[in-house]
Amino acid sequence: YTFGVREPVIAPGATGFEPRLSIRFAPTSRISLGLGYSRLHQYVQSLRNEESLVDELTGISLPAVAGSAANGATIPVATADQIATTLDARLSSTMTFSAVGYVRRETGLALVAPVSAEPFATSDFATGSARTRGMSLSLDRTGKRVFGELSYSLSSVTQRSGLGSYAPEFAATHTVAMGVGVRVRGATTLRAAASMNSGVSASTYTDPLEWMPFTPASGEGDLSGSPQHIVGALNGSRLPPYFRLDLGVRRDWGVSLFGVGARFAASASVVNVLGRNN
């Protein structure tokens, strides 16, 4: 087992101890179990609205240091406590199974979404908390010719303030991902990756919006409109399941120049082969 405690000497806002404890037990040479607890503090938060459609498209960043004043309110220090359990099992010389379960509680969060649909805090923000729990399963193969990973995640995230609670849009309830690589003729690798998620929350807007994603060919993108008025509850709708498939190939060459070895590689990929809208 391992145990440690950390505390910042100089930090904005209030400081506190950050204990960490982990215990690992291996009943056999192929199986190991783990249990861990940790506490973390976040001294810089963002005043952007993570649930705003504008933030989703443009990625606004508005850092705010704990203890500073924003619109007459003080930015709090966020605290997270997490308990996690793990299971690792070696099924064969090339196959490994892993499982992780976790529960996390966060307090002191600066939340903009419960107060305003604007892309960032213009007048006020809410101080809230979050409750997260979930599990993930993964099967990994590390063969010389065929390698890959299959994983599944189940999670539940609820953010809460005095104005109500909601599920953030970044948290999918179910996520399945698979990646496979096959080495052919030694130096050529074929790759395929597929992913699917469901249970993603979203808000419904009444404002008109036109969006053309950035494309390397034209070198530009376009966003027109001001989505600010939400119909119903915040993130009160569920998006349909989303599926994506990517394919790629990689070729390596080894050369020697003046007695110095070097390796060159070229790769090509086709992303979102099925053309599914996200």
Side-chain angles (χ1 to χ4, degrees):
Y1 68 93
T2 59
F3 174 76
V5 177
R6 182 178 66 176
E7 182 183 18
V9 177
I10 300 176
T15 61
F17 287 105
E18 295 183 343
R20 298 182 181 183
L21 172 66
S22 63
I23 302 173
R24 182 168 292 274
F25 172 67
T28 69
S29 60
R30 290 178 172 268
I31 299 177
S32 65
L33 305 172
L35 175 65
Y37 164 77
S38 64
R39 167 173 287 186
L40 295 173
H41 294 92
Q42 182 177 343
Y43 297 101
V44 178
Q45 300 195 61
S46 177
L47 290 181
R48 78 180 199 268
N49 185 354
E50 296 180 341
E51 310 306 321
S52 167
L53 185 59
V54 175
D55 179 78
E56 181 70 20
L57 301 179
T58 61
I60 300 171
S61 179
L62 294 172
V65 179
S68 61
N71 300 322
T74 302
I75 302 297
V77 176
T79 303
D81 293 279
Q82 176 172 289
I83 297 176
T85 60
T86 62
L87 166 65
D88 296 304
R90 179 167 291 278
L91 306 180
S92 66
S93 59
T94 61
M95 197 81 68
T96 303
F97 173 78
S98 300
V100 177
Y102 59 90
V103 176
R104 182 168 59 250
R105 171 71 174 176
E106 300 172 74
T107 59
L109 298 178
L111 303 176
V112 179
V115 177
S116 172
E118 299 280 350
F120 48 85
T122 57
S123 59
D124 197 4
F125 64 89
T127 299
S129 61
R131 175 84 174 186
T132 305
R133 53 187 175 181
M135 59 170 289
S136 62
L137 308 174
S138 66
L139 187 64
D140 182 77
R141 190 181 194 280
T142 57
K144 294 182 179 180
R145 180 177 175 81
V146 180
F147 58 93
E149 182 180 11
L150 174 64
S151 64
Y152 166 75
S153 298
L154 172 66
S155 66
S156 172
V157 183
T158 302
Q159 292 185 338
R160 188 182 305 274
S161 70
L163 301 175
S165 62
Y166 61 94
E169 64 177 14
F170 64 79
T173 303
H174 304 277
T175 302
V176 179
M178 179 181 68
V180 178
V182 179
R183 295 184 177 90
V184 295
R185 297 184 180 180
T188 302
T189 304
L190 304 179
R191 299 174 181 265
S195 62
M196 187 278 291
N197 64 45
S198 65
V200 178
S201 301
S203 297
T204 303
Y205 294 86
T206 59
D207 310 281
L209 175 70
E210 295 181 3
W211 175 49
M212 182 181 69
F214 175 84
T215 56
S218 62
E220 61 181 12
D222 184 68
L223 174 63
S224 176
S226 181
Q228 300 179 23
H229 301 92
I230 296 176
V231 178
L234 175 65
N235 286 351
S237 302
R238 287 293 181 98
L239 297 179
Y242 176 68
F243 179 78
R244 171 173 170 166
L245 175 64
D246 302 332
L247 300 176
V249 59
R250 176 187 172 101
R251 171 71 179 181
D252 293 87
W253 293 270
V255 298
S256 179
L257 184 63
F258 302 111
V260 179
R263 181 170 292 275
F264 296 90
S267 62
S269 61
V270 181
V271 299
N272 197 12
V273 175
L274 303 179
R276 297 289 300 274
N277 292 326
N278 188 353

